[in-house]
Amino acid sequence: MQGNSKSAEEGRSPSSALRAPSPREQGEGEDIAIVGGGIIGICAAAYLTEAGRNVTIFDRTGICEETSSGTAAAFAFSDVLPLAHKGMIRQLPKWLADPLGPLSIPPAYLPKLLPWLFRFWRAGRADLYEASLAAQVGMMRLAEAEWMGLLDRSGTRPMLREDGSLEFYESEAEFRASLPSWAARERFGIGFRHVEGEELAGLQPGLSPRFVKATFVPGWKTVADPKLLGKAVWAYAEGLGARFEKTRIERVDAGQDGATLTLADGTTRRARQLIIAAGAWSHLLAKNLGERIPLETERGYNTTLPKTAFDVKRQLIFSRHGFVITPLETGLRVGGAVELGGIERPPNFARSKAMLEKAKAFLPGLDPAGGREWMGFRPSLPDSLPVIGGARNSASVFYAFGHGHLGLTQSAATGRLIRDLVLGQTPPIDLAPFSPQRF
Ligand SMILES: Cc1cc2nc3c(=O)[nH]c(=O)nc-3n(C[C@H](O)[C@H](O)[C@H](O)COP(=O)(O)OP(=O)(O)OC[C@H]3O[C@@H](n4cnc5c(N)ncnc54)[C@H](O)[C@@H]3O)c2cc1C
């Protein structure tokens, strides 16, 4: 194995990049190839270059240009509850009845989706739900610790915002229905307080009176802009020697001593180790390697308004309506929603418009003009846990995808875990619940 095993905590400055010639420089192909330049691939590259490895990211578009660029910017470390739970499954019929509501399934896509939906429903069984919840709690503790370290090492801590979030209720009944989920979070030491009246008005002035209560989560963090953060962490990895190549990877093949990538122009590239971090497209490449991973996409939409649209104090969460409002350094982002519609269908921006209309009703002073609409593909597994682990048939290939709603939040932890796996070190959490072979 090439490279030293210097710990990520020690870091490594660009000027200290004295190292042995890489396999690439010796004409032997890549040391480590990562397919995917989203936030997961970027963080994996950062951790691996810190450890002295030579990394090349291959992406068809660019660094942090697709789904990871348009998130709601939340470091949702307290968001530990798996999506498949009885409360959610009970809501499904109501949500599906509204084609522009929080959740939709284009009817033509339903037959293809049924096996995933079946697994999702099964993941809501009490024992499986509890197992996913415990795994998610461990992952989130690691996620927070790793992001705080990576923010410091990459000089990006000024992009962190620690002003918490507010989650709203329109009736006492809705508030009471939310209590079991808060009790579950309390069990894991997640801090929050329920607020109303003047305290609520102080935390977010200008709210519609339809909101009778809210829950304030002070530990909730966001970032100034997810695209800028991704690019800044990449600049740090690039400073440590990481490279980027813009190309589509058509297929991957692997044996015990390395992997072969076939590029869009038909040429091939060898790599000692390969990491597949291709977001919602990852399962297509994993299929080349004999894996059957039930990855679906939960498409999400938003509109980014000019910053002046409204003075939003912190992230505002409208769970019943399936969207959030985030104040970014670069604008005011209104978005969310889940559309289980696959990776090929064109976007339906009526969904962004529907959320924007609601935002205007919830914050009556909001100016909805001048927005930019966007859609992204959440890569989602039915048990709400990502896939982090080695390939079935090759010790040279690792998977890092399927983070669903939490890819930004869990990206530094995933980078750390992938580094440990690649270096043959013991990871700090049990990776069995995240195994690519668990399905
Ligand atoms: C509306 C919305 C809001 C969200 N808000 C949050 C949030 O607030 N907090 C949070 O933690 N998460 C959030 N998420 C989830 C988050 O966006 C994803 O989990 C995360 O971006 C996934 O990152 P990724 O690197 O796995 O995938 P991506 O960002 O999709 O990156 C994958 C990359 O792989 C490339 N690629 C794919 N196939 C190939 C190929 N064959 N060859 C070359 N390149 C390829 C693609 O071009 C892409 O650049 C949100 C998602 C949406 C849609």
Side-chain angles (χ1 to χ4, degrees), residues 115-305:
W116 188 93
L117 279 181
F118 176 70
R119 286 175 188 273
F120 179 79
W121 170 76
R122 209 173 48 186
R125 211 178 68 192
D127 56 334
L128 300 178
Y129 176 83
E130 281 298 322
S132 289
L133 175 58
Q136 199 67 293
V137 168
M139 170 58 115
M140 287 302 201
R141 286 195 183 123
L142 183 69
E144 183 156 16
E146 292 301 329
W147 254 123
M148 295 310 120
L150 184 57
L151 289 173
D152 285 339
R153 299 195 303 280
S154 59
T156 51
R157 189 172 275 259
M159 292 187 176
L160 181 67
R161 295 181 168 187
E162 302 186 80
D163 36 23
S165 66
L166 272 176
E167 187 162 343
F168 297 100
Y169 314 101
E170 287 167 70
S171 65
E172 270 299 317
E174 189 190 350
F175 170 65
R176 275 196 304 277
S178 78
L179 292 178
S181 76
W182 292 109
R185 279 173 263 197
E186 200 164 23
R187 264 168 51 209
F188 297 103
I190 293 163
F192 59 86
R193 73 175 188 273
H194 304 305
V195 294
E196 58 189 313
E198 274 182 22
E199 189 178 8
L200 174 53
L203 286 164
Q204 181 53 62
L207 267 175
S208 157
R210 68 195 284 161
F211 298 108
V212 295
K213 274 197 166 92
T215 303
F216 178 48
V217 180
W220 190 270
K221 299 174 174 59
T222 55
V223 298
D225 181 292
K227 181 170 177 170
L228 297 184
L229 176 68
K231 289 193 183 285
V233 174
W234 171 249
Y236 167 67
E238 215 175 13
L240 298 177
R243 288 173 69 247
F244 168 68
E245 205 168 319
K246 184 170 172 173
T247 178
R248 176 188 302 278
I249 301 301
E250 295 296 342
R251 68 169 286 123
V252 292
D253 296 279
Q256 290 314 318
D257 60 344
T260 305
L261 295 87
T262 305
L263 278 52
D265 63 4
T267 60
T268 58
R269 210 59 76 72
R270 288 284 297 163
R272 285 184 179 177
Q273 283 161 311
L274 168 66
I275 294 153
I276 296 182
W281 295 266
S282 302
H283 59 312
L284 303 176
L285 294 170
K287 202 169 165 189
N288 297 164
L289 303 171
E291 310 280 359
R292 297 231 166 259
I293 300 181
L295 186 73
E296 259 301 333
T297 176
E298 296 180 60
R299 295 145 54 113
Y301 292 83
N302 63 41
T303 307
T304 306
L305 299 170

Side-chain angles (χ1 to χ4, degrees), residues 47-115:
Y47 275 81
L48 286 162
T49 51
E50 284 178 326
R53 300 297 300 265
N54 291 290
V55 175
T56 303
I57 285 188
F58 295 88
D59 194 296
R60 63 188 176 204
T61 323
I63 294 289
C64 208
E65 287 293 340
E66 296 202 13
T67 297
S68 298
S69 69
T71 71
F75 276 161
F77 302 122
S78 56
D79 208 353
V80 292
L81 304 182
L83 291 178
H85 58 82
K86 286 199 213 86
M88 157 77 83
I89 289 166
R90 267 199 300 273
Q91 299 244 42
L92 284 181
K94 192 178 72 194
W95 281 349
L96 288 172
D98 175 1
L100 295 180
L103 173 71
S104 77
I105 302 175
Y109 195 67
L110 187 58
K112 190 152 185 247
L113 187 66
L114 278 175

